[in-house]
Amino acid sequence: MAQRVFNDCFVSFNAVDLSDHVKSASLPYAAEMLDDTAMGDTTRSRAGGLKDWSSDIEFYADEASVSVQQTFFALVGSTATLLIRPDKSEGVSATNPNYTGTGIVESIGLIQGSVGELQMAPVKILAAGTLTRAVA
């Protein structure tokens, strides 16, 4: 089993590469589970419903032009393309897939941190379109 040290994640939103500001990233993908249990069944039964995805990304705060706060502040409540993959330095492949989807920015933490810590800017992106996976 190949293992990866997660230390070079590629993140682009609205065609702005913000990879060098990422502390952590997640991209859960799921389907709604619809109960289709019928009379006479003795065990619950389910069917897969609509797919859903979201992304929680924790950025190091940066107010510079074309950086974290300016990119996301202008897009709260708006849609743009999210592009994310595990390793920026590796090419897109079966072991380093590129995930792309249209997402809507739900929120950005504009000011967050404690005394003596680096200021953070967590961002929540919700699905506004299909998530695709490319391996080439």
Side-chain angles (χ1 to χ4, degrees):
M1 170 175 84
Q3 297 180 355
R4 173 187 310 274
V5 174
F6 191 57
N7 65 353
D8 196 20
C9 182
F10 175 74
V11 174
S12 170
F13 195 73
N14 198 33
V16 178
D17 181 353
L18 297 164
S19 305
D20 63 346
H21 287 73
V22 175
K23 178 180 180 184
S24 66
S26 68
L27 183 66
Y29 184 60
E32 292 177 3
M33 291 294 108
L34 306 173
D35 189 332
D36 65 355
T37 309
M39 292 294 175
D41 289 345
T42 59
T43 303
R44 288 247 175 243
S45 176
R46 291 175 179 81
L50 296 173
K51 303 262 186 340
D52 194 13
W53 64 270
S54 63
S55 188
D56 286 299
I57 306 167
E58 189 174 20
F59 292 99
Y60 292 104
D62 189 343
E63 293 281 0
S65 179
V66 194
S67 198
V68 178
Q69 273 90 335
Q70 287 192 26
T71 296
F72 289 102
F73 184 83
L75 291 171
V76 169
S78 300
T79 61
T81 300
L82 172 68
L83 189 65
I84 187 169
R85 70 176 171 270
D87 195 318
K88 181 178 181 173
S89 60
E90 286 183 26
V92 176
S93 67
T95 59
N96 193 43
N98 217 31
Y99 296 97
T100 306
T102 300
I104 185 166
V105 179
E106 179 183 64
S107 64
I108 178 173
L110 296 173
I111 298 174
Q112 181 171 324
S114 296
V115 66
E117 294 180 348
L118 292 172
Q119 183 181 341
M120 303 307 296
V123 173
K124 176 77 170 184
I125 300 168
L126 301 176
T130 303
L131 185 69
T132 61
R133 181 179 189 266
V135 296

